Amino acid sequence: MDLRRQYDGIREDVLAAIARVCDSQSFILGPEVEALEREIAALTGAASAVGCASGTEALWLALVAAGVKPGDSVITTAFSFFASASAIVRAGATPVFVDVDPGTLNLDAVLVGRQLRTKRLENLRAILPVHLYGQCADMDAFDRIVKEYAKENAKENTEEYSREFGVAIIEDAAQAIGAEWAGRGAGSLGAAAAFSFYPTKNLSAYGDAGIVTTIHPEMAEHMRQLRNHGSPRRYYHDEFGWNGRMDAIQAAVLRVKLAHIADWNQRRRQHAATYDQLFAGSGLTSEVTSNRSSNQLSAPVRLLSRSPQAKHVFHQYVIRAQRRDELRKFLAERKIGSEVYYPLPLHLQPVFSYLGLKAGDLPVSELAAKEVLALPMFPELTEAEIRRVVESIAEFYS
Ligand SMILES: Cc1ncc(COP(=O)(O)O)c(C=O)c1O
């Protein structure tokens, strides 16, 4: 990834935005953050957005505002960045890891449904799907699952009851700004959604920053309080919050970049189509499959599957590769960057050993961790560079 190419195109605007904040001498929250919140709410189709310190903070705010508390359980994917699960722990709850779909590597809704039918979870409060690599998880299926669960478990199945005591869907949309599911924006598909503006994300700050969106304005008010020490007014505290506020300089930079995000995401989709085409012509790839029983690679490279309902924003372009680590080394020797997201599934991380899961328990995630490889992907990438990546991969397997 070459961030400098992006910077070269927007340098004047970014520096002017930073100067505007310096001239205002207003550095935390304030008008820049409020303007960004309105703009992100409009982009995603959510009712409100709450700017905060990072994507990790955004996840925690969403969980706590959705009512997740000590003693609760939250279902999430075993194949994601650590924060998807650590935010659950920080909210005092227990993550329940479920395996991923072999085609998309997103949380498998069929397995979640099966788990809920066969095993009663203590105080299930939320389901946290991750829109991995920029493609939305199957939000229709999670919606159905939550409604069925509420029907079976609620004493009174009223809208109010399930808002108060039911199971909330929290989107981890850290990698999915601008993505859509069935024409609706990521960030408006569950009760709340967390976005990260980490410098390598599709929409990125010049430091750490994040935002939570929600379809419930009263949840937004709660999150505004939580991000500021649980304080409804200065030096009065109703609950334990934290300092999770966003800096005005980050908001100002993000607002400059937000004007470009539709174009940048479109360019990422074009690059993905070029990769797809070149792989199809290379003879390296096998059919994409979502069949759980044929999860083994039959050709050197396998592409991930794309849900027809999803408008992908290709935060990453990821392949599954035989002899992945050797391939990675081969590419590095040719100065082609690649990365493994993620080399160890969450249920096998030492810090989660207290959950009692072991190797073999979530086989799709475990195999994916051995095979996935993210190839160069950013808007300013050239077709010639993409060609060189695919040709180098073909050379490795020849
Ligand atoms: C899926 C996912 N969730 C959460 C996060 C956490 O975001 P941040 O690094 O901004 O705290 C990230 C990004 O790093 C991510 O990729």
Side-chain angles (χ1 to χ4, degrees):
M1 179 178 204
D2 184 357
L3 273 172
R4 182 158 290 278
R5 292 189 205 174
Q6 183 189 77
Y7 180 58
D8 287 345
I10 56 173
R11 187 173 178 277
E12 299 303 316
D13 293 344
V14 164
L15 294 180
I18 293 173
R20 190 171 69 228
V21 175
C22 294
D23 289 342
S24 78
Q25 291 290 298
S26 171
F27 295 112
I28 296 173
L29 300 177
E32 291 288 348
V33 174
E34 284 164 22
L36 178 73
E37 289 174 343
R38 284 193 297 275
E39 289 161 7
I40 294 285
L43 175 80
T44 57
S48 312
V50 179
C52 61
S54 67
T56 308
E57 189 70 33
L59 281 168
W60 177 79
L61 288 169
L63 288 162
V64 174
V68 173
K69 57 185 185 318
D72 287 344
S73 303
V74 177
I75 288 179
T76 194
T77 161
F79 197 62
S80 182
F81 180 61
F82 181 62
S84 309
S86 64
I88 295 170
V89 177
R90 190 176 157 218
T94 303
V96 178
F97 292 120
V98 173
D99 216 345
V100 292
D101 173 88
T104 62
L105 302 184
N106 271 322
L107 179 62
D108 191 331
V110 174
L111 296 181
V112 171
R114 199 177 293 164
Q115 165 118 12
L116 290 183
R117 280 192 300 278
T118 55
K119 196 172 156 206
R120 181 142 186 94
L121 290 171
E122 267 319 295
N123 303 325
L124 177 67
R125 188 71 56 200
I127 299 179
L128 195 153
V130 178
H131 304 324
L132 193 70
Y133 307 142
Q135 173 167 243
C136 287
D138 185 346
M139 298 305 283
D140 294 333
F142 292 118
D143 226 26
R144 263 195 317 274
I145 287 170
V146 160
K147 286 198 177 108
E148 270 167 35
Y149 189 81
K151 217 186 269 173
E152 280 161 27
N153 292 280
K155 289 176 218 93
E156 299 164 67
N157 186 31
T158 62
E159 172 100 348
E160 218 163 284
Y161 182 91
S162 55
R163 279 277 297 289
E164 191 92 340
F165 304 103
V167 174
I169 299 175
I170 307 290
E171 302 168 70
D172 183 338
Q175 304 180 359
I177 188 93
E180 291 179 10
W181 179 264
R184 289 160 58 216
S188 68
L189 303 167
F195 292 89
S196 164
F197 299 131
Y198 183 77
T200 58
K201 294 291 193 277
N202 290 28
L203 177 64
S204 61
Y206 282 6
D208 274 313
I211 210 163
V212 209
T213 56
T214 175
I215 57 169
H216 303 303
E218 70 282 7
M219 251 177 97
E221 284 318 303
H222 189 189
M223 293 190 283
R224 284 183 213 291
Q225 190 166 305
L226 284 166
R227 80 172 164 186
N228 195 20
H229 294 291
S231 170
R233 65 195 163 106
R234 221 169 186 183
Y235 307 126
Y236 290 83
H237 303 271
D238 290 352
E239 62 186 323
F240 288 105
W242 205 253
N243 175 358
R245 300 177 300 239
M246 182 190 270
D247 287 346
I249 282 182
Q250 301 306 344
V253 171
L254 287 163
R255 292 183 66 208
V256 169
K257 293 190 176 195
L258 192 55
H260 300 274
I261 192 68
D263 172 47
W264 289 342
N265 280 344
Q266 182 55 27
R267 287 206 244 163
R268 286 172 183 269
R269 277 190 287 274
Q270 275 163 6
H271 296 332
T274 304
Y275 269 123
D276 286 353
Q277 229 172 16
L278 292 173
F279 275 120
S282 71
L284 289 169
T285 52
S286 67
E287 282 289 295
V288 163
T289 174
S290 265
N291 183 347
R292 275 178 210 88
S293 59
S294 68
N295 194 28
Q296 298 296 330
L297 289 182
S298 53
V301 170
R302 193 164 80 193
L303 308 184
L304 302 193
S305 53
R306 318 267 161 76
S307 312
Q309 301 94 321
K311 189 174 179 189
H312 204 316
V313 291
F314 291 96
H315 172 55
Q316 301 295 346
Y317 185 89
V318 171
I319 60 169
R320 302 181 70 158
Q322 283 178 0
R323 294 159 50 215
R324 190 262 322 268
D325 295 337
E326 280 173 67
L327 170 63
R328 190 161 183 231
K329 203 162 149 259
F330 182 87
L331 293 175
E333 281 160 8
R334 278 151 189 75
K335 300 214 174 315
I336 295 172
S338 65
E339 192 49 86
V340 174
Y341 307 106
Y342 298 92
L344 186 65
L346 294 171
H347 67 292
L348 301 181
Q349 296 287 346
V351 74
F352 284 121
S353 60
Y354 71 95
L355 295 174
L357 291 164
K358 56 186 187 322
D361 284 345
L362 302 176
V364 183
S365 298
E366 291 166 30
L367 189 61
K370 295 192 175 87
E371 293 177 350
V372 288
L373 191 65
L375 302 179
M377 170 56 82
F378 55 97
E380 300 78 13
L381 196 64
T382 66
E383 194 179 319
E385 287 170 325
I386 298 173
R387 259 177 212 289
R388 199 163 88 76
V389 174
V390 178
E391 281 163 11
S392 301
I393 294 172
E395 193 188 334
F396 172 76
Y397 288 112
S398 68

